[in-house]
Amino acid sequence: MTESKAHSALCAEEAEETVQELRAELAGAGIILPSSRIDPTSWPREAPCPRIELGGCSVDTALRLAVAPSRAAGVEGEGR
């Protein structure tokens, strides 16, 4: 396997693991992004390094995402 192909395989594996980890962590916070995936348009390169597409979500999910960082830091947002 060439160095470029080995790098691409590692990037693909890491990206898939990251998507799964992100889904699990968000689900633990009650947030579901059903269309999150590896962005297929990031593959057609000589040495692909995939990007993660988070996709669209409902207003309720967006609000949960908006307050998640402050909740994780132990700070409640105003009006929430």
Side-chain angles (χ1 to χ4, degrees):
M1 181 180 289
T2 68
E3 186 176 328
S4 177
K5 287 184 181 182
H7 172 77
S8 295
L10 287 173
C11 281
E13 184 178 317
E14 182 179 275
E16 188 57 45
E17 289 172 2
T18 300
V19 169
Q20 296 303 320
E21 183 177 338
L22 177 63
R23 284 180 182 160
E25 289 294 322
L26 289 174
I31 300 169
I32 305 296
L33 295 176
S35 55
S36 59
R37 63 183 180 148
I38 296 174
D39 179 1
T41 64
S42 64
W43 285 110
R45 294 176 33 192
E46 185 176 317
C49 242
R51 295 173 45 92
I52 297 172
E53 185 175 277
L54 299 178
C57 65
S58 68
V59 172
D60 181 56
T61 299
L63 287 171
R64 289 178 188 209
L65 284 168
V67 300
S70 60
R71 285 192 179 154
V75 179
E76 288 296 321
E78 290 183 23
R80 303 264 188 254

